[in-house]
Amino acid sequence: MALNSLGREIPESYAGKPLIPYGDPYAIRPQGNVAARPLKRVNPGHNKRLSSLREAIEASGLKDGMTIATHHSLRNGDFLLNRIVAEIAAMGLKGIWIASSSVHPVHAEIIPHIKSGVIAGFQCGVNGLIGEMATKGELTCPIVVRTHGGRARSVIEGSVHIDVAFIAAPCCDEYGNMNGYYGPSACGSLGYAQIDATYASCVIAVTDNLVPFPVVPVSIPQTLVDYVVVVDRLGDPAKIVSTTTRVTTDPVGLQIASYASQVIEASGLLRDGFSFQTGSGGISLAVAEKVRNAMRKGSIKGSFGCGGITGYFVDMLEEGLFSALMDVQCFDQEAVQSIGRNRAHQEISADMYANPFNAGAVVNRLDCVILGATEVDTSFNVNVNTESNGYLLHNTGGHSDTAAGAKLSIIVAPSIRGRLPIVRDRVTTITTPGETIGVVVTERGIAVNEKHAELKEELVRRKLPVKDIAELQREICRVTGTPRPLEFEDEVVAVIEYRDGSIIDVVRRVKE
Amino acid sequence: MAGFKLRRSLLYVPGNMPSMLQNIPIFNCDSVIIDLEDAVPLSEKDAARHLVKRFLLNYTDRNKELLVRINPLDTKWGYEDLKVVLPAMPDGIRLPKADTPEIVERLDTLLTEFEEELEVEIGRFGILPSLESALGVINAVGIANSSERIFALAFGAEDYTASMEIERSRGGEELFNARTRVLWAAKAKGIQAVDTIFADVSDMEGLRAETELAKRLGYTGKCLVNPRQIEVVHDVFAPKQHEVEYALQVIEAIQRARQLGTGVIALGGKMVDAPVVKRAARVLRTAYAHGMVDTLIDEEAIHGAQ
């Protein structure tokens, strides 16, 4: 056990690998070269098409203990991972690791295969039941939670090697060229899969929409793809949307959004060339709407919108408020349609989006990002992975990446959830370090990290309710009372890897 | 500036809803009217007034004006409302159905008695009478003069249209006479005038149009049924940038005039005298509340040294 710089106890190793305790957001310098994979040769006349997933898995040479990956661009509408795992189980393989870009509640179907030993563990974070059961001790499998940029880093540096990448390809030709723009399972950007295609030993394109050669535009080229398999259905794109895509009408949410947009205006960042990221979700979209109105009013021409892209950002692009969208993942159908028709809606890989170990990621160019939280502590550390019951329920996404990259990261959250205060002495799990968080906005006040002293002064001048974060906490706790601390066992059920590969926190089994 | 209180937005909050009461501190309306009258079903009248009392007692860090709309004094709940709620020190009482000066005088007397009993300053509790019937509108002048506790007159269109046996329209043409009569009474007495609610919470354009009309007529604020309406109302009542700039020039000009020993001076070819200065001062106070100017101008700047 060692303490990391945020005071969290980090074991020396986890799932057979030594761990590096987190130190600070920017210090670790990578060594060596990017990972390699075998050279290949395909001669004229070669047929990449195979008739079934089973045949493709056999051809890939997948063996016990190897690692597979899928992308999560279809989010909770993905059918592929469940089918692959069922096929692997039917083939009698054991001890397979999953290094997908994310795992969603729909993948709870694979839980029996975790229990039976077909699946050994996760080199990625998980959303939903798998994490909950792991934290309760009902499921034993290591989980290494990574940020989007951190996952790209781990694959590119080779600390995670993907043996076989299965890529859901909504529009694909028989030689493996693909994009996500068109077809019945269109999901838009294939930003996560681009990493898998480039670094996996074997790449299998799986499609429900085989079109004549060549697919254009090419998101992932034929040169990276070994096999092509046609299935009846990749997924249900209607389920890409995981949260609401409408601006909230809840007065509390609107109050938070109003404060957040005033913080952005006060920051001085809202000028020509402004770059911006928000998630989906009612409060984020309400902030986006207010920012849009402010940009219109001030005739401000932004630079780019980034991240998971929503129809809201598409409208802003088409209105001329941004000159480009940098899209690693589409969050709704409007975004999917836009990326297929608008050249200024640029698909980017997870590497380009957020990897800390390259010559510069897009997040480094962000002015402002709006992020959520399940909890925040008085040192501005943020939890998005676990809920206040201690269960691991959410993956990190690009949270820590954008917080570290953007000039100003703003957390928006209601001060009370259920009956619990959002600001704590200590968050249950640290996902994103407080030193990368600029401002916490709740309906009861705005807390500014002291590194943004000028912004704080300006907010006070504008008569916004600026409060010391401890004062904000006291005020909330006067309403809610102080919750009893959770109790945990020693057993570590998941580690939270920071984007640079160091360990920022661990998730322990909850004492029930 | 003594006694000046910005009342652009007066938000109704039902007195029987704990989840809404606990959010009162967070909304940036100027005043809240906690309702014990129409929003509260008969079966909850008693519970609600005790809930409101507890809430007020715990709300120590007050950041807005707190008014309580009691039940009319001729009902069996009105007096009890006062008795339970006043010890928790609201800023004032919104009196529904204030149809005659006598009704307000009665409340004034009761408030004085409670103030003596509670050993607080006489006049501490303000009164915001609701003129919401034909009779109330006719009696507006008398009502405005019925008590020194009255800081504003409020016009209530829902009950007014019911008493007139007419429908309330989106454009509100049928309210014009009543609105102006309430205004005259308020302005003649030198108090504020608060416009009626706009009930359609989803119609922000309608709200904006009605608020603009009210402001143009001379109303200084509006009652609201949902926190989402605050932003539009504040936006309408916010002085325009050019108005603020002009007001600053007026104050500067009049100060210059005083140095020259006169109370009148020309600014951009127009005469600046006391009424112009008064208007400019009002613009700057509102601008200050909106964060558009950094300092509150002092009394001396307006009236000159004694």
Side-chain angles (χ1 to χ4, degrees), chain B residues 72-114:
Chain B
L73 286 172
D74 58 359
T75 65
K76 63 176 174 177
W77 304 290
Y79 179 79
E80 201 63 23
D81 288 344
L82 291 174
K83 196 173 146 190
V84 173
V85 164
L86 287 179
M89 297 295 150
D91 295 304
I93 296 299
R94 169 138 185 173
L95 181 64
K97 303 190 177 56
D99 292 340
T100 64
E102 292 72 28
I103 295 176
V104 181
E105 282 160 13
R106 191 165 156 232
L107 175 62
D108 184 297
T109 309
L110 288 172
L111 291 178
T112 305
E113 285 169 19
F114 279 110

Side-chain angles (χ1 to χ4, degrees), chain A residues 14-19 65-70 81 95-103 110 119-126 130 141-155 157-163 196 395 493-497 501 503:
Chain A
Y14 182 69
K17 289 195 178 172
L19 300 181
M66 282 187 169
T67 300
I68 63 167
T70 57
L81 182 59
I96 301 295
W97 284 76
I98 292 177
S100 296
S101 53
S102 189
V103 170
I110 69 179
I119 299 303
F122 293 86
Q123 291 289 356
C124 60
V126 290
I130 295 171
C141 61
I143 300 169
V144 181
V145 179
R146 293 191 164 92
T147 71
H148 286 331
R151 175 185 183 266
R153 173 207 36 84
S154 72
V155 172
E157 73 184 10
S159 58
V160 171
H161 179 73
I162 299 169
D163 294 296
D196 309 17
N395 204 348
V493 298
V495 295
I496 311 295
E497 202 183 83
I503 303 301

Side-chain angles (χ1 to χ4, degrees), chain A residues 183-201:
Chain A
S185 301
C187 59
S189 175
L190 293 177
Y192 303 112
Q194 287 176 0
I195 306 303
D196 309 17
T198 312
Y199 293 91
S201 295

